[in-house]
Amino acid sequence: EYNKKLLYLTDNVDIALRLKADGRLVVPILSKKNIPFSFSDFKYVISNPEDISEDYYVKLWQRLFCKPWHILTTKRCRLREITFSDIPAIQKIYTHPSSTKFMAPFFPADTVPKEFVKNYINNVYSLFEFGTWIVERQSDNQIIGLVGFNYREDFSKLEISEKSYPLLEHPELGFIIDAPHRHMGYAYEVCRAAMDYGMSELGFEKVYAIAHPHNIPSVKVLKKLSFENFGTDNFIWYYKF
């Protein structure tokens, strides 16, 4: 009898299909004997399993069981993926008057937050293995902000010049710290760690950030991170690793 809490790996097509039909989580292994078969109905397929680290197998299990990935730890904070239980805290952070002045809502007005998070996990985290992450303070597990990288899809609300277009093909760094926890160095701390992670683990060569010139605290963080102003569009900042 198969255990529903386990992640199964197999290069046998029949076993893989039987496990999947029985509601088990299975990752097929590509091999010479199953190459003609299409595994398009499976979320993940791997090859050369001996070259995959134990940590990545744990992450596969977490992804398929909808468990958030722990991304990294800083001196005072933890960065992890978003879960459904984080929705109230995210809404609180983004609806504070000081946040709405420069930041668009995290949840678009025409979406249901729970559906948005579900789609974000399935279509962003699963595809890119990065995105916006929760900033959790280690001392009390309190959510104090968000930070991470995304590919911006809609530029219609930005008045940008054509010179900026190539830059916007790279990941965008975004960050926000809840109002009661600002001016304590958290933004720089988590952004610095996220940037290092982007370079070492994600292989980023360049990232950009958008900050309104009047958003002085964010601009100061970007300058401290060694971002450079793009010049042509003064609200766009970039960093080349």
Side-chain angles (χ1 to χ4, degrees):
E1 184 176 345
Y2 296 113
N3 190 328
K4 288 188 175 182
K5 293 184 178 180
L6 294 180
L7 172 64
Y8 295 92
L9 307 175
T10 180
D11 65 353
N12 186 298
V13 174
D14 292 334
I15 292 177
L17 292 173
R18 187 164 68 247
L19 285 167
K20 189 175 187 300
D22 198 32
R24 306 304 196 263
L25 295 180
V26 57
V27 175
I29 302 172
L30 290 179
S31 65
K32 291 182 180 179
K33 64 182 180 182
N34 65 31
I35 283 178
F37 184 79
S38 171
F39 289 104
S40 58
D41 289 338
F42 292 82
K43 195 168 186 178
Y44 292 96
V45 178
I46 64 172
S47 59
N48 302 319
E50 66 278 1
D51 296 332
I52 298 176
S53 68
E54 182 179 342
D55 177 66
Y56 192 74
Y57 282 122
V58 171
K59 287 185 173 180
L60 271 179
W61 182 91
Q62 290 174 320
R63 180 68 73 232
L64 291 170
F65 275 95
C66 299
K67 304 291 184 182
W69 285 9
H70 168 78
I71 305 302
L72 58 87
T73 301
T74 68
K75 184 178 180 180
R76 297 178 291 174
C77 302
R78 283 186 296 267
L79 272 58
R80 62 165 175 80
E81 293 180 341
I82 295 169
T83 66
F84 296 119
S85 62
D86 299 324
I87 290 174
I90 295 172
Q91 290 174 318
K92 173 181 172 293
I93 292 170
Y94 275 85
T95 54
H96 191 278
S98 63
S99 300
T100 56
K101 186 175 181 180
F102 296 112
M103 301 284 290
F106 185 79
F107 301 116
D110 58 346
T111 61
V112 177
K114 192 170 182 178
E115 285 299 312
F116 180 88
V117 170
K118 179 181 177 181
N119 291 332
Y120 197 85
I121 292 170
N122 291 332
N123 301 326
V124 178
Y125 288 155
S126 294
L127 178 61
F128 299 111
E129 297 190 355
F130 65 83
T132 299
W133 303 309
I134 289 291
V135 177
E136 206 170 46
R137 189 164 54 194
Q138 292 190 58
S139 60
D140 57 4
N141 298 324
Q142 184 173 354
I143 295 173
I144 63 168
L146 297 95
V147 67
F149 304 98
N150 286 281
Y151 287 109
R152 184 181 286 260
E153 297 180 351
D154 182 11
F155 299 97
S156 60
K157 295 181 181 180
L158 298 177
E159 296 180 3
I160 57 177
S161 64
E162 291 185 4
K163 290 183 178 181
S164 299
Y165 291 169
L167 180 63
L168 302 182
E169 295 176 355
H170 295 276
E172 176 184 352
L173 171 70
F175 59 93
I176 184 171
I177 299 296
D178 197 10
H181 309 290
R182 294 172 188 166
H183 311 295
M184 300 179 189
Y186 286 118
Y188 175 78
E189 179 179 328
V190 298
C191 285
R192 178 71 274 164
M195 293 285 289
D196 292 342
Y197 182 86
M199 178 183 68
S200 63
E201 300 297 325
L202 301 173
F204 292 162
E205 297 180 354
K206 185 182 290 187
V207 299
Y208 75 94
I210 292 177
H212 193 283
H214 295 163
N215 188 355
I216 304 301
S218 292
V219 170
K220 285 183 177 180
V221 170
L222 294 176
K223 287 182 176 179
K224 192 173 181 180
L225 290 167
S226 300
F227 273 72
E228 296 182 31
N229 190 266
F230 197 63
T232 306
D233 297 304
N234 67 352
F235 54 87
I236 298 178
W237 298 74
Y238 72 96
Y239 183 96
K240 186 175 182 180
F241 292 101

